[in-house]
Amino acid sequence: MNTITIKRFVLLAALALFSHAQLSVAEALTPSEARSIAKQAYTYGFPLVDHYRVQYTYFHDRQHPEFKAPWNTLHNTARIYTPDDKAYPTPNADTPYSQLGADLGSEPLVLTMPVVEDGRYYSAQFVDAYTHNFGYVGSRTTGNGGGTFLLVGPDWQGSVPPGIDRVLRSETRFAFVFYRTQLRGADDLENVKKVQAGYKVQTLSAFLGQPAPAAAPAINFPPPLSAEAERSDLAFFKQLNFVLGLSPIHPSEQSLMQRFAKLGIGPGLSFDEQALPVEIREAIRAGIADAWQDFEALGQQVARGEISTSRFLGSREFLANNYLYRMRATVTGLYGNDREETLYPPFYLDAQGQKLDASRHRYTLRFAPGQLPPVNAFWSLTLYDAKRLLVANPLNRYLINSPMLGNLKRDADGGLTLYIQHQQPAAEQLANWLPAPDGPFYLAGRLYWPKAEALDGRWQAPKVERY
């Protein structure tokens, strides 16, 4: 038994002591304390539970319409996302995806990237079960010249073989690798397919031509809660316990786990809502509601421009255990990139400070001359409905991006005005129309590989105006 495994065993054994006295401890809790713990545990755990839901759907449930491929098998989506894609919010529609659900329990994986022509952006984003981004490969970080990369789990202590350019270590046994390959237009799809065909995944033993090691113990994955049930069902905490049981607890969170254990929440523990007094159950429900109130309050700060969404995404070190930020990122844009990879200027409100609603107003978004988003790769503006899903429309146009500039109509002064509304605009505005639903909507800007002036604030996104 290696050192990491021993430490994990000791921690689980210590936490298990709490489970024997769960009922008596819960009875000793005041409803106020139970409510406070539930709020904190829910905020902390929502990203883990929601990520599990998506990963189960993508890589375990072969009957689900969103199933991609078995674990450790790369799946290429050689198309753009449409309104029919509903697995998670704010899907990207201008970089076709490739997805890898990595189970690193038995051995590492070797990921090979092809040479990609200059000028075409691509990236591979590495995400652990906590939803932290723990590494990148691609245009910004490693260039377009290809390479071979080793993805290892938390317990792996082997030797790095020759031919490996970089090692990426996941904090958790299960990791998600999310590839994005730039699509320059509908007629470019075959070129994207060629790039995707060059993405290769092997086990380390296959890469070395050696026998495979013994398989890791099989896991009985429980069906996930629905996205709706995650928001209020107390079974949420049972699911959280399962995910935490698969995920090493970070040293900075051990005291947090001891606090959660008072409610039977944590790795190796059993959360039994029926064993809890009625007043404690109601306090836990109130704690979940409190978490959503904090979530909404943070959203209002974002909408007013007081906090940038770029602060919500990144590594464990970058987020510094700000669990509300992590929850906000999960709900509004699960698997979003680090700010250095993609900057996401949001458009929640119009210039009058009111929520965007195409059933009440028509809108414009104008980029003054020389003020298009500054990027090393490309930019896009995607429209979503109130559920943060793509909107069906007669043009099948879900976004406007920089590769489309040649087909857009410029203003007399060289600026660019986009028309955002539900009804088809006048003929002279049609080229620049971004169709909206007959109701509330949200605009998501994306600056891929943003330049310094976007990162440091010298460039500011324009306001959405009514017209």
Side-chain angles (χ1 to χ4, degrees), residues 427-451:
E428 64 272 15
Q429 300 170 345
L430 190 59
N432 295 13
W433 179 33
L434 186 54
D438 189 18
F441 67 95
Y442 161 69
L443 292 169
R446 290 180 172 90
L447 279 65
Y448 292 91
W449 193 357
K451 291 185 176 180

Side-chain angles (χ1 to χ4, degrees), residues 66-401:
E66 293 282 356
F67 178 77
K68 306 301 179 188
W71 297 103
N72 296 341
T73 305
L74 182 66
H75 177 269
N76 293 313
T77 303
R79 61 175 179 81
I80 61 171
Y81 272 42
T82 73
D84 292 330
D85 295 287
K86 304 179 186 296
Y88 62 89
T90 60
N92 175 337
D94 49 12
T95 60
Y97 294 152
S98 302
Q99 292 130 332
L100 170 67
D103 179 358
L104 306 170
S106 297
E107 60 176 317
L109 295 177
V110 177
L111 282 62
T112 302
M113 302 296 176
V115 174
V116 179
E117 76 269 24
D118 290 340
R120 183 184 300 278
Y121 169 85
Y122 90 99
S123 68
Q125 169 194 8
F126 294 76
V127 187
D128 65 25
Y130 288 99
T131 70
H132 297 130
N133 298 334
F134 64 89
Y136 280 89
V137 167
S139 300
R140 178 182 66 89
T141 53
T142 58
N144 282 25
T148 305
F149 305 90
L150 188 67
L151 173 58
V152 306
D155 296 341
W156 187 76
Q157 297 178 328
S159 299
V160 178
I164 298 296
D165 296 304
R166 181 179 296 182
V167 176
L168 298 106
R169 183 177 292 273
S170 173
E171 189 177 314
T172 55
R173 168 179 168 175
F174 292 92
F176 179 44
V177 188
F178 201 6
Y179 301 67
R180 296 170 172 90
T181 308
Q182 182 184 358
L183 176 69
R184 294 172 176 150
D187 58 354
D188 187 44
L189 189 57
E190 291 304 313
N191 295 321
V192 169
K193 290 179 181 179
K194 292 177 183 177
V195 174
Q196 290 179 328
Y199 298 143
K200 185 177 181 181
V201 176
Q202 301 169 277
T203 60
L204 178 58
S205 58
F207 176 77
L208 295 174
Q210 298 176 353
I219 295 174
N220 182 21
F221 295 100
L225 295 173
S226 68
E228 294 75 18
E230 287 176 355
R231 291 179 171 254
S232 59
D233 196 323
L234 295 193
F236 171 94
F237 295 109
K238 294 180 182 178
Q239 200 119 86
L240 176 58
N241 284 0
F242 170 78
V243 178
L244 287 172
L246 300 177
S247 308
I249 303 302
H250 193 266
S252 68
E253 295 175 345
Q254 291 188 19
S255 61
L256 193 66
M257 290 300 116
Q258 292 179 0
R259 174 171 161 79
F260 293 170
K262 294 179 181 180
L263 282 179
I265 299 169
L269 302 186
S270 175
F271 179 84
D272 184 359
E273 62 183 275
Q274 297 305 319
L276 298 172
V278 173
E279 62 271 20
I280 296 298
R281 290 204 300 269
E282 292 307 309
I284 294 172
R285 294 186 191 280
I288 293 176
D290 291 342
W292 284 110
Q293 286 184 356
D294 284 358
F295 172 90
E296 294 297 339
L298 180 60
Q300 290 301 314
Q301 289 182 280
V302 172
R304 294 192 297 266
E306 297 170 2
I307 296 179
S308 170
T309 57
S310 66
R311 295 172 60 182
F312 303 165
L313 299 158
S315 65
R316 176 181 287 280
E317 294 72 24
F318 179 80
L319 289 173
N321 292 1
N322 190 317
Y323 305 122
L324 182 59
Y325 282 9
R326 190 172 70 181
M327 177 185 175
R328 182 81 196 179
T330 299
V331 176
T332 59
L334 182 60
Y335 309 134
N337 279 313
D338 291 10
R339 67 192 306 269
E340 292 82 7
E341 193 71 35
T342 311
L343 203 59
Y344 300 93
F347 300 88
Y348 295 101
L349 307 176
D350 63 23
Q352 286 72 42
Q354 301 299 308
K355 291 184 178 180
L356 302 175
D357 189 338
S359 69
R360 301 177 59 192
H361 303 289
R362 298 177 301 165
Y363 301 93
T364 62
L365 184 67
R366 171 174 153 80
F367 296 97
Q371 290 299 305
L372 289 173
V375 292
N376 291 297
F378 71 103
W379 59 264
S380 71
L381 183 72
T382 308
L383 191 146
Y384 302 98
D385 64 16
K387 295 182 179 179
R388 297 179 180 272
L389 299 174
L390 297 170
V391 176
N393 63 80
L395 297 185
N396 292 324
R397 179 184 292 169
Y398 314 119
L399 59 86
I400 288 178
N401 60 21

Side-chain angles (χ1 to χ4, degrees), residues 20-93:
H20 295 300
Q22 178 187 352
L23 179 56
S24 60
V25 171
E27 289 175 337
L29 286 176
T30 65
S32 176
E33 186 177 7
R35 180 172 180 170
S36 175
I37 293 172
K39 170 186 171 181
Q40 190 176 26
Y42 185 85
T43 303
Y44 171 91
F46 187 89
L48 285 73
V49 171
D50 197 53
H51 171 76
Y52 173 73
R53 174 183 63 84
V54 175
Q55 297 291 286
Y56 180 100
T57 297
Y58 278 5
F59 307 115
H60 181 74
D61 185 358
R62 295 172 182 262
Q63 305 307 312
H64 198 284
E66 293 282 356
F67 178 77
K68 306 301 179 188
W71 297 103
N72 296 341
T73 305
L74 182 66
H75 177 269
N76 293 313
T77 303
R79 61 175 179 81
I80 61 171
Y81 272 42
T82 73
D84 292 330
D85 295 287
K86 304 179 186 296
Y88 62 89
T90 60
N92 175 337

